[in-house]
Amino acid sequence: MTISLSKGQRIDLTKTNPGLTKVIVGLGWDTNKYNGGNDFDLDASAFLLYQDGKAKGIDDFVFYNNPKTPNGAIIHTGDNRTGEGDGDDEQIVIDFALVPANVERVGITVTIHDAATRAQNFGQVSNAFARIVDEANGREVLRYDLGEDFSIETAVVICELYRQGADWKFQAIGSGFSGGLAALCKNYGLDAN
């Protein structure tokens, strides 16, 4: 049975699911029907965050152009440029056993590619969700539907997976940013340029 979460909720991942060591973070969305002339290209990313809540460099930022961490702890499975179809539009695989011990959190985000140029924002996106799937057996462990109506935001921190002792937990965040990927990178201590 899948657990559905609301914004701000936290839940144990590994303690309540013994043997859960590798997860797929599935992210999906639909775009509202409007005639903007451009496809929506939403991009999922993962930020590895240290004690200060910041990433340290490009190796701590996983996205379609940097699809995995050097040790393979986090892997982006590929860029979906249109969001067409049902189910997950993009996926990020996390192997908890390989996440470096000094990484305390993994932030999962979605941004709109070329949002400013295309005059697009999350107000034009609906049915956005994140789900955690046990990679070993394909079972959906939890789901977080972003019910919030964003308007001008072009980037969203969907959730964070974080350590507590030896266990991993999940927090539904749902926090929007204007300024797209550059604003998100700055939030996490990186320079998007």
Side-chain angles (χ1 to χ4, degrees):
M1 184 177 115
T2 299
I3 296 171
S4 289
L5 297 180
S6 303
K7 182 175 179 170
Q9 283 188 297
R10 300 169 187 255
I11 189 167
D12 281 313
L13 281 178
T14 53
K15 190 184 285 186
T16 54
N17 296 282
L20 183 68
T21 58
K22 196 171 184 182
V23 297
I24 299 167
V25 182
L27 300 145
W29 52 81
D30 295 321
T31 54
N32 299 339
K33 300 297 176 215
Y34 83 107
N35 187 6
N38 291 303
D39 283 334
F40 267 76
D41 180 6
L42 274 64
D43 296 314
S45 304
F47 290 86
L48 283 75
L49 308 173
Y50 297 82
Q51 187 174 4
D52 62 359
K54 304 291 184 195
K56 302 298 180 213
I58 189 66
D59 286 343
D60 297 330
F61 176 37
V62 176
F63 67 114
Y64 64 88
N65 259 353
N66 185 39
K68 66 181 199 169
T69 57
N71 71 348
I74 299 180
I75 300 170
H76 188 293
T77 63
D79 189 14
N80 176 334
R81 294 181 180 218
T82 64
E84 292 295 318
D86 294 329
D88 298 341
D89 290 310
E90 292 194 7
Q91 294 181 330
I92 295 171
V93 180
I94 302 174
D95 187 336
F96 294 131
L98 295 179
V99 176
N102 56 348
V103 170
E104 294 192 357
R105 293 179 169 266
V106 177
I108 304 294
T109 68
V110 175
T111 55
I112 301 174
H113 183 70
D114 280 344
T117 309
R118 297 176 179 182
Q120 296 174 341
N121 60 56
F122 273 96
Q124 300 157 323
V125 174
S126 57
N127 304 322
F129 69 85
R131 66 191 195 113
I132 301 291
V133 175
D134 185 339
E135 200 262 352
N137 58 23
R139 180 178 67 87
E140 185 175 285
V141 176
L142 67 85
R143 182 180 181 98
Y144 169 43
D145 292 297
L146 270 80
E148 292 75 29
D149 285 332
F150 297 102
S151 53
I152 60 168
E153 294 85 356
T154 54
V156 176
V157 176
I158 306 267
C159 61
E160 287 185 352
L161 288 80
Y162 64 98
R163 283 184 211 266
Q164 192 162 55
D167 292 310
W168 281 88
K169 297 182 179 232
F170 176 98
Q171 180 177 8
I173 306 270
S175 176
F177 287 81
S178 297
L181 186 59
L184 207 52
C185 285
K186 186 175 183 192
N187 177 62
Y188 284 132
L190 297 177
D191 182 349
N193 299 324

